[in-house]
Amino acid sequence: MTPGRGLPTTFGGEVRTATMDRICAEGVSYNRFHTTAMCSPTRASLLTGRNHHEIGNGQIAELANDWDGYAGQIPRSSALVAEVLKDYGYSTGAWGKWHNTPAEDTTAAGPFEDWPTGLGFEYFYGFLAGEASQYEPHLVRNTTVVAPPKTPEEGYHLSGGPGRRRDQTGCATTRRCRLISRSSCIGPAVACTGRTTS
């Protein structure tokens, strides 16, 4: 079977991922991961390395209930990979879709314990629901709702200030960027390198 174009070089694809290649070469890799065919449980399993029922994510976040394995909250006794990597000196961040916070906790008032920054990530930029509009997404930076742009020319920016032109990946054209497309269960991510210029 031929690897897809969106796969990282670490697993035979075409998207260059030097850090992930280095980590894998040092002996850390997932090569027999079980997917659940639903986004919230798959992401929870990937982030904890545990079965989705053992960590209360038997189904998507909006359908959480009080049955064993379906509470929709990752127990604090289950360390996420972000917490482990942080302990080893890595910087951690989550971008894009995060569909692992109970729906009633996704308001601007929180609580924020089950948001990415409450679960070990140092930075988050994305959306907390199962889907978002490509044109008018409800975005969050860490625990703050990102105000929508006032004009279409402003657009949304990973690099901050308004008024920068955007290329096809959605990044400001003053940065060198590439789109890293991963499984739709995990969500897309944009990796930008280089300095931002004014």
Side-chain angles (χ1 to χ4, degrees):
M1 184 164 100
T2 305
R5 293 185 185 275
L7 285 176
T9 52
T10 312
F11 298 105
E14 297 179 15
V15 179
R16 291 187 308 131
T17 50
T19 301
M20 199 158 61
D21 292 349
R22 189 181 74 244
I23 292 170
C24 187
E26 292 172 4
V28 178
S29 65
Y30 289 107
N31 58 12
R32 287 182 176 80
F33 178 70
H34 170 74
T35 183
T36 69
M38 288 188 288
C39 59
S40 301
T42 298
R43 189 177 303 100
S45 294
L46 181 65
L47 292 172
T48 62
R50 297 181 177 208
N51 178 281
H52 56 294
H53 287 100
E54 289 180 17
I55 53 170
N57 278 258
Q59 54 193 334
I60 62 171
E62 285 84 4
L63 301 177
N65 57 54
D66 60 355
W67 301 341
D68 287 343
Y70 293 88
Q73 290 182 293
I74 299 172
R76 297 301 175 255
S77 59
S78 301
L80 270 71
V81 68
E83 295 169 324
V84 175
L85 288 173
K86 221 168 32 175
D87 288 345
Y88 282 91
Y90 288 89
S91 294
T92 59
W95 290 266
K97 178 181 178 181
W98 181 273
H99 196 202
N100 286 81
T101 300
E104 65 271 9
D105 294 348
T106 61
T107 69
F112 304 113
E113 298 88 51
D114 293 310
W115 289 37
T117 54
L119 292 170
F121 288 96
E122 295 170 299
Y123 181 80
F124 172 64
Y125 186 86
F127 56 99
L128 297 169
E131 60 187 357
S133 166
Q134 295 181 46
Y135 306 103
E136 297 174 348
H138 297 283
L139 295 173
V140 173
R141 178 176 285 115
N142 296 323
T143 58
T144 305
V145 174
V146 175
K150 294 178 179 133
T151 66
E153 291 78 31
E154 285 183 2
Y156 287 94
H157 306 281
L158 294 175
S159 58
R164 296 179 186 230
R165 284 187 42 226
R166 317 216 6 110
D167 63 16
Q168 291 178 339
T169 65
C171 290
T173 55
T174 53
R175 303 188 81 157
R176 296 180 333 160
C177 303
R178 66 181 177 273
L179 180 64
I180 299 174
S181 126
R182 295 183 290 202
S183 161
S184 61
C185 287
I186 299 171
V190 176
C192 297
T193 59
R195 268 191 314 234
T196 302
T197 57
S198 300

